[in-house]
Amino acid sequence: MSHDPNEQFDHAVLDIIEHSPTGAVPHTPAYQDALKRLHASHQAYPDADHKDGHVTARALARLPLFHAGNLDALVAGTIAPAELESNARIYDRYVRSLAAPLRAKAESHRLTVTGKAVHHRAKQGHEVFHDPVHTIFLLPGAGPHPGLPGNYLHGSMFQVSADATAWAVHVHDSLDGMAQIDSANLAEALSHLQETLSSAPFHLSELAALGFRMN
């Protein structure tokens, strides 16, 4: 049995947030203190879709994740990285999942999330390398700033070096909040990516437990 005198009230505040169309909570000291506790324990986050609103972690846990649909095949080694579902199609699925009023705002973030293709340039005496691997994912959560529409963090697993001896996984909120982890090879990067996906929803700061560092 819990001995926390605030637990019952804090759970009631979570219910209020979930039953409010804007995630609003009364502006009284008791409710605001409860919000501080809930945010500190990562049970609630600022709502990306409503000014001064909040969203609960348990509500975010019901949201879908978005990543390459054939990621499991890459993990199993049955496809090559170049065969991963395109970033554009992954982002399309995310946009379609949102309520209609949020889709235009989500589209305004498309290029930031999907990125521009980067090509390795041929150097004199060296062959042209294949395009570096870069695959995106979107998952529910928040950081120092709210997430994208629908309360989503966005990230990518990508090849850092042309010879595939350096990889990274980055996770971002809607502004400049970012957590990152480096890997020595594709298998290690995929392991970090899978662990990240399985941990959602979360606050970016919680990724420190998985070895990420905050920007």
Side-chain angles (χ1 to χ4, degrees):
M1 182 175 178
S2 172
H3 297 288
D4 183 354
N6 298 310
E7 183 176 14
Q8 186 173 357
F9 185 69
D10 289 356
H11 278 284
V13 173
L14 291 174
D15 289 337
I16 290 172
I17 292 171
E18 291 183 357
H19 287 93
S20 167
T22 60
V25 170
H27 290 283
T28 63
Y31 283 100
Q32 295 305 306
D33 286 346
L35 276 177
K36 291 177 183 178
R37 293 190 295 270
L38 292 170
H39 280 268
S41 62
H42 305 305
Q43 295 182 72
Y45 307 99
D47 189 350
D49 304 324
H50 301 98
K51 182 176 173 59
D52 299 324
H54 308 272
V55 63
T56 69
R58 65 192 188 190
L60 295 184
R62 296 191 288 268
L63 297 178
L65 309 180
F66 299 95
H67 53 75
N70 53 354
L71 183 63
D72 288 345
L74 178 63
V75 173
T78 58
I79 65 168
E83 298 175 82
L84 283 169
E85 181 183 16
S86 72
N87 289 340
R89 290 189 61 178
I90 297 169
Y91 203 79
D92 286 345
R93 291 194 282 109
Y94 155 67
V95 172
R96 288 197 302 269
S97 77
L98 299 173
L102 300 179
R103 292 175 185 171
K105 186 175 180 181
E107 285 292 352
S108 73
H109 292 279
R110 179 183 286 269
L111 185 58
T112 299
V113 176
T114 60
K116 295 180 179 179
V118 177
H119 299 279
H120 292 302
R121 302 299 182 185
K123 296 182 179 179
Q124 187 173 2
H126 295 80
E127 63 180 334
V128 180
F129 291 104
H130 62 78
D131 291 346
V133 177
H134 178 265
T135 186
I136 67 168
F137 56 90
L138 298 106
L139 40 73
H145 313 284
L148 298 181
N151 293 292
Y152 275 85
L153 297 169
H154 67 94
S156 60
M157 181 194 77
F158 58 96
Q159 179 182 335
V160 176
S161 65
D163 62 357
T165 58
W167 296 74
V169 176
H170 287 187
V171 189
H172 305 258
D173 59 25
S174 61
L175 295 175
D176 57 1
M178 183 183 80
Q180 64 184 81
I181 191 167
D182 300 321
S183 305
N185 51 58
L186 175 58
E188 188 177 300
L190 284 170
S191 178
H192 290 314
L193 175 55
Q194 289 177 296
E195 191 171 31
T196 302
L197 293 171
S198 67
S199 300
F202 51 73
H203 188 279
L204 281 181
S205 63
E206 295 180 271
L207 288 176
L210 301 182
F212 282 73
R213 64 185 185 277
M214 288 293 293
N215 185 25

